[in-house]
């Protein structure tokens, strides 16, 4: 995949599919579905939220699903409206273990959506097993306590293609949390490595505690960005042998060289004003760098080139900080809301290590990363009008290439193009 590092970027992305009846062709931005990419696995909810007594309704990609436990106590999912007369199963009853009963006429289904009985007609009803009575079933898989659901119409792809490998590793401790963002899913994933990093997050704990190399890198990354390349048509990451902002963050002390330039930039058009306004954070970063250097990470946790640091289809930001792996699923609810699933992973083989990281996550890390740091991203996503005309900068290399990558590689868009 080529990279565009030089020159100004146009108001619109590259032109995409041909418009109908002479209409303007859609740009790559306009071709990415507002309700998300189907034909993928998505995290839906924590398995502990689904009991044997009541179903749980969740909306994903504009569709409402009802989750309950089947005969084997596994979490399964059906479409939320009964095939009889469209009554919502959000208030369905569970009179029989592993079976869901519509509250209107007593149609009773198993975990695969088969109609087993109609309580309103009695055991003599001829409806069970007849054509048109089966509910749509959504394939599910519970991994590390999270229920993933296949949202496509076709045969499910291997879940290992869509879910990070550390979630399948028994030696990796994965802690999970969720946050609702009142925004579409697309702005949240497109801000990866653009010029917002220092400005938006300057008062976050993550940035305040950066060593000097990471801090200066964030501040002075400038309009240029490292090139990206695709891996297996599913992952867009930094091209090999290139250096990114992430190479300076949370690494060994020797791997964070200070750049030979002034910490404060001077803006002639602002009357010679400086940004940042003081050098206080530079001095503070030197202290932070000393203490972080005492706890040097051992190297990348992820050995899979498809899951290093970058964005993975359908909606995953995956970053290997060496000390831990930070994963954020931008799961669309509808056009205006997104459920963010955060997976924070540490290697912990011993009981004491797992206890320490569990305590660390709940007391400090979850707040620092998912509420404080990503909470600032949420505020920016919520004030962004994704449909508004835009004037891209050279620092917007990632959203430009991500949009092209999605259009060229997403299963649902490839399927539509083939049809």
């Amino acid at each position: 995949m080529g990279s565009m590092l030089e020159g100004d970027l146009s108001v619109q992305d590259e032109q995409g599919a041909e418009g109908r009846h002479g209409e303007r062709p859609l740009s790559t931005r306009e071709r990415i579905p507002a309700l998300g990419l189907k034909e993928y696995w998505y995290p839906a909810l924590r398995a502990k939220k689904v009991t044997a007594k009541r179903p749980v309704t969740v909306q994903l990609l504009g569709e409402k699903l009802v989750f309950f436990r089947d005969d084997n106590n596994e979490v399964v999912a059906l479409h939320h409206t009964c095939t009889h007369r469209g009554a919502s199963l959000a208030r369905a009853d569970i009179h029989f273990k592993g079976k869901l009963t519509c509250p209107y006429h007593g149609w009773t289904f198993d975990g695969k959506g088969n109609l087993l009985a109609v309580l309103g007609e009695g055991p003599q009803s001829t409806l069970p097993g007849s054509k048109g009575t089966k509910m749509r079933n959504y394939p599910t898989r519970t991994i590390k306590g999270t229920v993933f659901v296949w949202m496509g119409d076709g045969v499910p792809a291997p879940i290992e293609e869509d879910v990070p490998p550390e979630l399948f590793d028994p030696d990796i401790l994965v802690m999970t949390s969720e946050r609702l963002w009142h925004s579409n899913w697309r702005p949240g994933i497109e801000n990866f490595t653009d010029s917002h990093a220092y400005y938006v997050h300057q008062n976050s704990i993550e940035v305040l505690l950066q060593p000097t190399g990471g801090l200066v890198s964030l501040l002075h990354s400038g309009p240029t960005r490292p090139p990206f390349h695709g891996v297996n048509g599913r992952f867009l990451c930094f091209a090999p042998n290139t250096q990114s902002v992430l190479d300076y963050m949370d690494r060994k002390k020797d791997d964070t060289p200070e750049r030979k330039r002034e910490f404060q930039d001077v803006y002639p058009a602002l009357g010679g004003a400086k940004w940042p306004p003081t050098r206080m954070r530079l001095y503070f970063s030197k202290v932070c760098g000393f203490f972080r250097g005492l706890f040097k990470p051992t190297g990348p946790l992820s050995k899979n080139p498809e899951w290093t640091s970058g964005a993975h289809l359908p909606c995953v930001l995956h970053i290997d900080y060496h000390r831990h792996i930070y994963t954020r699923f931008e799961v669309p609810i509808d056009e205006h809301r997104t459920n963010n699933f955060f997976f924070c992973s540490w290697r912990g083989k011993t009981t004491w290590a797992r206890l320490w990281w569990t305590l660390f996550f709940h007391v400090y890390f979850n707040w620092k990363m998912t509420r404080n740091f990503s909470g600032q991203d949420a505020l920016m996503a919520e004030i962004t009008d994704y449909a508004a005309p835009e004037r891209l900068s050279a620092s917007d290399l990632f959203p430009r290439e991500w949009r092209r990558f999605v259009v060229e590689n997403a299963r649902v868009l490839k399927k539509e193009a083939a049809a």
Side-chain angles (χ1 to χ4, degrees), residues 114-308:
N114 298 308
L115 178 63
L116 303 181
V118 179
L119 303 186
E121 293 187 0
Q124 68 272 24
S125 175
T126 60
L127 283 170
S130 63
K131 185 178 181 180
T133 60
K134 186 174 182 179
M135 291 282 294
R136 179 179 176 182
N137 164 267
Y138 293 79
T140 58
R141 176 89 175 270
T142 301
I143 305 171
K144 298 281 189 181
T146 296
V147 180
F148 289 80
V149 59
W150 171 256
M151 293 301 297
D153 297 320
V155 177
I159 194 171
E160 292 79 8
E161 293 184 3
D162 300 345
V163 176
E166 61 267 17
L167 269 68
F168 300 95
D169 189 336
D171 293 330
I172 295 289
L173 175 67
V174 179
M175 306 301 296
T176 308
S177 64
E178 300 175 55
R179 297 288 289 172
L180 174 65
W181 290 10
H182 293 279
S183 70
N184 190 257
W185 70 281
R186 295 167 295 184
I189 199 169
E190 289 186 359
N191 73 355
F192 180 64
T193 77
D194 70 14
S195 59
H196 87 285
Y198 179 82
Y199 189 74
V200 171
H201 298 298
Q202 58 182 297
N203 292 322
S204 70
I205 298 300
E206 176 68 10
V207 171
L208 287 173
L209 298 182
Q210 278 296 318
T212 304
L215 181 67
V216 174
S217 239
L218 286 172
L219 182 60
H220 296 312
S221 52
T224 61
R225 287 297 183 271
F228 295 89
H229 80 135
V231 180
N232 298 332
R234 295 188 289 264
F235 188 56
L236 186 65
C237 61
F238 300 109
N241 303 318
T242 61
Q243 200 168 52
S244 72
V245 170
L246 296 177
D247 291 320
Y248 292 91
M249 298 174 63
D250 212 11
R251 299 293 195 260
K252 294 181 180 180
K253 188 175 181 181
D254 294 340
D255 293 337
T256 56
E258 297 180 25
R259 298 189 177 186
K260 302 300 182 180
R261 60 176 297 172
E262 288 296 324
F263 177 70
Q264 297 169 283
D265 285 324
V266 178
Y267 290 82
L270 299 178
K274 293 183 178 181
W275 182 262
T278 73
R279 296 172 61 84
M280 186 61 64
R281 296 192 180 196
L282 175 65
Y283 305 139
F284 187 67
S285 71
K286 294 180 182 295
V287 177
C288 294
F290 170 78
F291 286 104
R292 290 180 78 142
L294 300 178
F295 304 96
K296 297 179 180 180
T298 57
L301 294 179
S302 177
K303 308 299 182 182
N304 188 332
E306 189 178 322
W307 292 96
T308 52

Side-chain angles (χ1 to χ4, degrees), residues 19 31 36 40 58 71 78 110 116 120 137 153 173 183 188 263 272 307 332 335 338 343 415:
R31 293 174 64 190
Y40 285 93
V58 177
D71 292 333
L78 301 179
D110 65 11
L116 303 181
N137 164 267
D153 297 320
L173 175 67
S183 70
F263 177 70
W307 292 96
E335 292 188 19
T338 301
F343 298 98
K415 182 178 179 181

Side-chain angles (χ1 to χ4, degrees), residues 45 47 50 67-70 73-77 140-142 147:
L45 76 170
V50 186
F67 294 82
F68 65 103
R69 293 190 177 271
D70 65 8
N73 203 36
E74 295 292 333
V75 179
V76 293
T140 58
R141 176 89 175 270
T142 301
V147 180

Side-chain angles (χ1 to χ4, degrees), residues 171-173 175 323-324 344-348 357 360-361 365:
D171 293 330
I172 295 289
L173 175 67
M175 306 301 296
R323 286 188 175 91
H324 65 278
C344 301
S345 307
W346 291 272
R347 186 168 297 282
W357 288 123
F360 179 76
F361 175 81
F365 190 84

